[in-house]
Amino acid sequence: MADWIRWHDIDAFLAMGGYGLYVWGAYGLAAAALGLEGWLAHRRAQRAWRATRLPARRAADA
Amino acid sequence: MRQLFLVLYLRDLRLAWRRPVDALLPFGFFVIAAALFPLGVGPEPQMLRQMAPGLIWVCALLATLLSLGALYAGDHADGTLEQLMLTGHDGAAIAAARAAAHWTLTGLPLVLVAPLFGVLFDLSGDALATLAFTLLLGTPVLSLLGSIGAALTLGLRSAGVLLILIVLPLAVPALIFGSGAVAAVEGGQSAQAQCSLLGALLLLSALLAPPATAAALRIALD
Amino acid sequence: MRFTTFAAPSRFHRISGFVLPWLWAAAALCATAGLAVGLLHAPTDAQQGDAYRIIFIHVPAAWMSMVLYLALAGWAAVGWVWGVRLASMLARALAPTGLACTALALVTGAFWGKPTWGTWWVWDARLTSELILLLLYGGYLALVESIDDPRRADRAGALLAVVGAINVPIIYFSVRWWNTLHQGASITLGRAPSMADSMLLGMGLMTLAFWAWAFAIVFVRLRAIVLERERDTAWVRALGAGEAAAHRVAAMRGATA
């Protein structure tokens, strides 16, 4: 297992040979962008779902 | 079909003749925009000469795009457009006539005036001739592509800006080949390849843009 | 089973509900594996050091941005020509994800360029083409969002997308020409390193992860669009009624507790 992983320790891994800022910056932005997109899509789906239930709910509560 | 084309083409020219200011506005924009650049970047002749081909081409592109918004708007507002489309005439011929009139009023003056601006930027004589030639080939492409955009954005709220946003990416090849040709000649090389490609673009858009515009008009008017 | 079997929005809604969790799982699995291979296992590059590891996001994102645009144009055309409503809705659902992938490709490209080339941006042919693709997506979304009538919006968008798709090779060719034409060396963003097997494996896994993710997000959005547009149909009302019945039961249980 230790052979499979290139890095000797966590610090080297985070430093990424001196390019840590760029590599982790890129990955971080990617995660943020994809997360935002996912959240927005989810919000739209929720709103649509709630709008579906609304008239039926009103009829049920009446 | 040719008769329809001529009738509409001449009609558009006659309408523009009655309102010369409207027809001259994009032209005025071109002059102002092109004159702004030296004010913005400094008067150094070497730098201006290098920038001139692209700069003039971009200003021509923007001037053409700005005047496209009014291409169908007037006829759409008073219902003439709908009538034209409903009469069962060839939509492509209508679109082609419109684009041709637009080019005559916007593109052709640019072809004639741009070389003068080239002088202001100290381009060589050969480069000026190439500039006029590439604009002659390229501005019709812009009118044709732009007419698709004008038809798609017919009657929409921010149609003017939307139109520019839609058409700009499509106009990039013409810009690249057009300004590239002039830059090549200015640098002492042949511009044959660029001009051939520009000619090919013109042929392609002349064939495909009018039917696409007609389809867009039908979509917008349904 | 015919081609049109899945064209009914109701059937899509049912099936996608079932398939979604698997898509999320696949995306998570492939991403974990891909990141493990790419970040932990793949060797350091001789020229670019560890900065090259950004390609494990940059390249799949760029591929997806192009694939999604073609898919968008294709499905929009299907919806326009054959009147398949779900296809038009699918095109609308694809656009934001495509835009996101394009933006991601550009930004990660910049982060890759800074350590390898020295500047945040280079007018490299690929990046410039990607920028124009961003404008194509932007134009499409701006157009369809500013048309209120869904039918007109779908069709106008379809025409624009098809015109854009036809232009993409022309634009790409002209941009490549432009990049090599002007005096000075042809500018290219740092070359992807000659690929070791583990690098290829990492890229492959991340590509799969992006695919699965894209499917999942697009399905979520498409489900929303379907519910929005099909609001007045019987099956959507039944769906809502089913929910209302459950809501009533829960309220009763809560009252007697």
Side-chain angles (χ1 to χ4, degrees):
Chain A
M1 179 65 176
D3 273 345
W4 194 81
I5 301 180
R6 296 275 157 184
W7 309 97
H8 297 298
D9 53 58
I10 285 273
D11 289 323
F13 178 60
L14 288 175
M16 276 288 162
Y19 298 115
L21 192 65
Y22 300 104
V23 175
W24 297 121
Y27 276 89
L29 275 175
L34 295 176
L36 178 69
E37 212 219 332
W39 180 69
L40 286 172
H42 180 65
R43 218 179 53 160
R44 182 173 182 177
Q46 270 194 325
R47 239 184 289 136
W49 185 235
R50 254 181 271 136
T52 307
R53 284 150 57 195
L54 207 54
R57 249 208 209 164
R58 267 201 230 111
D61 290 337
Chain B
M1 184 174 87
R2 197 170 301 162
Q3 208 180 21
L4 174 67
F5 179 92
L6 268 173
V7 165
L8 286 174
Y9 177 70
L10 291 171
R11 169 184 172 264
D12 281 346
L13 290 185
R14 243 180 290 130
L15 282 175
W17 184 257
R18 291 192 201 134
R19 294 242 191 89
V21 179
D22 286 349
L24 288 174
L25 280 176
F27 186 68
F29 170 83
F30 171 79
V31 172
I32 295 173
L36 274 176
F37 272 90
L39 291 169
V41 300
E44 219 265 302
Q46 172 76 329
M47 176 182 58
L48 288 179
R49 199 183 310 128
Q50 252 187 324
M51 284 177 57
L55 193 159
I56 295 178
W57 248 94
V58 169
C59 290
L61 173 60
L62 291 176
T64 309
L65 288 178
L66 279 175
S67 60
L68 274 170
L71 196 60
Y72 290 104
D75 276 350
H76 179 59
D78 62 16
T80 315
L81 190 60
E82 232 153 351
Q83 276 205 324
L84 268 177
M85 296 298 290
L86 279 174
T87 50
H89 284 127
D90 186 7
I94 298 174
R98 244 327 121 67
H102 177 261
W103 176 75
T104 312
L105 293 167
T106 311
L108 193 53
L110 286 178
V111 173
L112 297 171
V113 164
L116 277 173
F117 265 83
V119 170
L120 289 179
F121 288 90
D122 195 28
L123 286 175
S124 69
D126 284 337
L128 288 177
T130 313
L131 178 62
F133 185 62
T134 55
L135 282 175
L136 185 66
L137 289 177
T139 42
V141 174
L142 299 177
S143 293
L144 286 162
L145 286 175
S147 66
I148 305 179
L152 281 174
T153 56
L154 199 60
L156 297 179
R157 274 183 310 271
S158 327
V161 180
L162 192 54
L163 171 69
I164 295 179
L165 181 61
I166 290 175
V167 176
L168 268 179
L170 305 174
V172 163
L175 171 65
I176 289 178
F177 295 136
S179 58
V182 182
V185 169
E186 180 68 24
Q189 294 158 332
S190 159
Q192 202 179 30
Q194 285 93 326
C195 289
S196 313
L197 286 164
L198 209 47
L201 272 180
L202 177 57
L203 273 173
L204 205 64
S205 33
L207 281 171
L208 297 179
T213 309
L217 283 173
R218 277 192 295 272
I219 293 174
L221 292 173
D222 255 342
Chain C
M1 195 154 54
R2 285 156 43 236
F3 179 62
T4 50
T5 302
F6 297 106
S10 54
R11 183 170 271 135
F12 165 77
H13 196 264
R14 232 183 3 259
I15 296 179
S16 61
F18 174 69
V19 162
L20 261 178
W22 295 99
L23 285 173
W24 291 123
L29 208 69
C30 291
T32 312
L35 288 174
V37 171
L39 291 174
L40 295 177
H41 178 63
T44 307
D45 179 57
Q47 289 140 341
Q48 296 181 22
D50 289 303
Y52 88 95
R53 295 187 196 270
I54 297 181
I55 62 167
F56 295 115
I57 296 214
H58 172 76
V59 171
W63 281 347
M64 281 315 292
S65 71
M66 294 184 260
V67 164
L68 287 174
Y69 189 77
L70 291 176
L72 187 157
W75 285 115
V78 165
W80 181 24
V81 171
W82 284 285
V84 182
R85 276 185 352 268
L86 189 64
S88 301
M89 295 190 236
L90 177 56
R92 298 287 289 264
L94 285 165
T97 305
L99 182 74
C101 286
T102 314
L104 196 59
L106 286 171
V107 170
T108 51
F111 271 76
W112 187 17
K114 178 72 170 142
T116 52
W117 185 258
T119 49
W120 284 107
W121 181 262
V122 275
W123 288 96
D124 145 273
R126 285 193 327 265
L127 272 186
T128 309
S129 298
E130 197 71 14
L131 183 62
I132 297 179
L133 186 62
L134 187 77
L135 295 177
L136 285 173
Y137 272 116
Y140 173 85
L141 280 168
L143 181 65
V144 295
E145 291 302 318
S146 55
I147 300 177
D148 294 323
D149 172 25
R151 218 165 123 257
R152 180 182 165 185
D154 286 344
R155 292 181 174 176
L159 180 58
L160 183 62
V162 168
V163 170
I166 293 175
N167 267 278
V168 160
I170 303 176
I171 294 175
Y172 182 65
F173 172 72
S174 67
V175 169
R176 266 190 57 185
W177 178 290
W178 162 84
N179 187 248
T180 57
L181 188 65
H182 292 262
Q183 273 82 358
S186 126
I187 302 174
T188 18
L189 198 55
R191 295 193 182 295
S194 46
M195 303 282 263
D197 279 344
S198 51
M199 297 179 191
L200 283 171
L201 179 64
M203 283 244 282
L205 285 168
M206 287 305 285
T207 306
L208 284 175
F210 262 87
W211 270 89
W213 167 273
F215 263 98
I217 290 275
V218 168
F219 274 11
V220 169
R221 199 175 291 118
L222 184 52
R223 284 162 66 84
I225 295 176
V226 162
L227 286 181
E228 287 163 12
R229 294 223 196 157
E230 305 284 295
R231 201 178 353 218
D232 296 322
T233 57
W235 72 272
V236 173
R237 290 225 193 90
L239 214 57
E243 271 296 304
H247 160 75
R248 236 184 307 144
V249 169
M252 283 196 310
R253 284 221 193 94
T256 55

